Amino acid sequence: MALSPTAAQRRIIDAADPATGRLRGTPAQLAALVKRGLAFRHPRPPHDHFLTPAGHRTREAGSEPDGVTAAHGTPAPPDAAGVFAARVGGEDTAPG
């Protein structure tokens, strides 16, 4: 797998059935996961898509992009020792 999955592909992988690995998404999204080797199309009708072992490893890794918290998908707060920290008001003392 050369590229990491996109945000939309991550959501599909994360929403896969925990027991079977069955995926739901648009045909284009599912085809992209198959192309990346993260899913396969079952040969028998109804031709559902399922996670491959690589897809299961991607889901278990739970890797989120840098600077994003896993719980809410919101940007992580900057470090206190960072280069810049915006003042939002309500501080008792001005920074030095």
Side-chain angles (χ1 to χ4, degrees):
M1 181 172 75
L3 300 172
S4 61
T6 65
Q9 291 170 344
R10 283 289 316 173
R11 286 191 296 271
I12 292 171
I13 291 170
D14 292 340
D17 185 274
T20 63
R22 183 178 180 191
L23 297 168
R24 295 185 185 271
T26 67
Q29 291 170 327
L30 296 172
L33 288 173
V34 169
K35 186 176 179 181
R36 290 177 186 250
L38 299 173
F40 70 94
R41 183 175 182 251
H42 199 279
R44 294 179 63 188
H47 302 294
D48 288 333
H49 288 77
F50 296 89
L51 289 174
T52 62
H56 282 287
R57 285 191 299 272
T58 301
R59 183 170 77 178
E60 291 168 1
S63 62
E64 291 288 333
D66 291 338
V68 175
T69 58
H72 303 290
T74 56
D79 294 333
V83 177
F84 174 78
R87 293 186 58 196
V88 294
E91 295 94 2
D92 292 335
T93 60

